[in-house]
Amino acid sequence: MPATAAAPGPLRVLVLGAALRTESTNARLAALAARMLSRSGADVDLAAMREFDMPLYDGDMEAEQGLPDGALALRDRLERCDAFVLASPEYNASVPGVVKNAIDWVSRVRPQPFKTKHALLLSASPSLVGGNRGLWALRVPLEHLGTRVYPDMFSLAAAHQGFTDDGQLTDPGLQERLGETVTSFLGLVEADARYVCLRRRWYEFLGDRTEAPVTQRAED
């Protein structure tokens, strides 16, 4: 009998709660997304930003000592995954410093680990816009580094009242929307991971070319 190809393993997804505070609503949102991904068959690595301690980016420190252990640990977790989900708070209508600092440090690794990874961005905030302004700002450095940021983002407004005791969302409609977003995102990741030809069809900038084997991203 002819040999058959082994079935592909589950997709690997890093889910990162990007706030340092232990009881952060973004940590709760990350945990909820992780459960949804697991139920959809993904192999989930749930992490918290406090696991990746690193100083403020300093070029002199990098030249003298190399990258800090926290940045290398985050690099390792990124490299093991097919995609990542980032649940980030919004500070002053923008990206929290700890998140941007982590991106800046990890982007110094070669080969650059953010390139061509798929990412889904989530946020939870007590404000009425749910942290959405911070997610738009977060897209900029990630997309610059070549991350394929999923077009749809999920922001939970009034997040201090947004969770039930068992970690679900109090609003059934939002719970359903988050589930649909996570499922659709995982479907896109699976298509890209399993069907390599689709990599020729991801466009982000006007300069991307249809004949390019992979769209050009920042590596160096």
Side-chain angles (χ1 to χ4, degrees):
M1 295 181 64
T4 57
L11 295 170
R12 298 157 299 179
V13 183
L14 172 65
V15 181
L16 178 59
L20 293 177
R21 188 167 59 89
T22 304
E23 298 301 321
S24 165
T25 52
N26 283 279
R28 301 184 71 179
L29 187 60
L32 175 57
R35 293 195 297 273
M36 290 177 169
L37 287 162
S38 292
R39 286 197 294 270
S40 296
D43 181 1
V44 176
D45 178 12
L46 179 60
M49 186 60 77
R50 64 173 52 252
E51 298 176 44
F52 310 106
D53 185 42
M54 60 192 87
L56 292 176
Y57 177 74
D58 181 336
D60 290 338
M61 180 182 296
E62 180 188 6
E64 295 171 5
Q65 304 175 23
L67 273 68
D69 291 342
L72 294 174
L74 181 53
R75 180 276 313 269
D76 291 343
R77 304 276 278 272
L78 280 168
E79 288 185 340
R80 288 197 293 266
C81 74
D82 297 298
F84 64 94
V85 176
L86 186 57
S88 174
E90 175 186 287
Y91 290 174
N92 298 313
S94 190
V95 183
V98 67
V99 178
K100 181 60 166 58
N101 187 57
I103 292 172
D104 290 343
W105 269 118
V106 175
S107 72
R108 301 296 297 168
V109 176
R110 295 294 180 270
Q112 199 272 101
F114 288 108
K115 182 178 173 65
T116 70
K117 294 288 186 184
H118 286 275
L120 173 63
L121 302 184
L122 316 175
S123 65
S125 170
S127 76
L128 294 180
V129 294
N132 190 258
R133 296 167 299 186
L135 295 186
W136 280 109
L138 181 55
R139 293 184 74 100
V140 174
L142 290 175
E143 289 180 338
H144 169 75
L145 293 169
T147 304
R148 297 173 173 182
V149 182
Y150 192 62
D152 195 12
M153 303 181 293
F154 181 87
S155 296
L156 178 64
H160 57 297
Q161 302 171 336
F163 293 91
T164 63
D165 291 340
D166 61 351
Q168 306 301 304
L169 299 184
T170 56
D171 185 323
L174 289 177
Q175 177 84 13
E176 181 179 4
R177 179 174 169 250
L178 178 59
E180 291 174 349
T181 301
V182 166
T183 300
S184 297
F185 171 69
L186 197 61
L188 178 62
V189 176
E190 182 175 20
D192 188 62
R194 309 294 190 226
Y195 307 104
V196 179
C197 62
L198 295 183
R199 293 178 184 173
R200 292 176 176 267
R201 295 293 179 260
W202 181 276
Y203 304 111
E204 199 68 57
F205 306 114
L206 293 176
D208 286 348
R209 297 175 290 110
T210 57
E211 70 274 16
V214 180
T215 54
Q216 298 301 307
R217 303 295 185 190
E219 283 190 84
D220 300 325

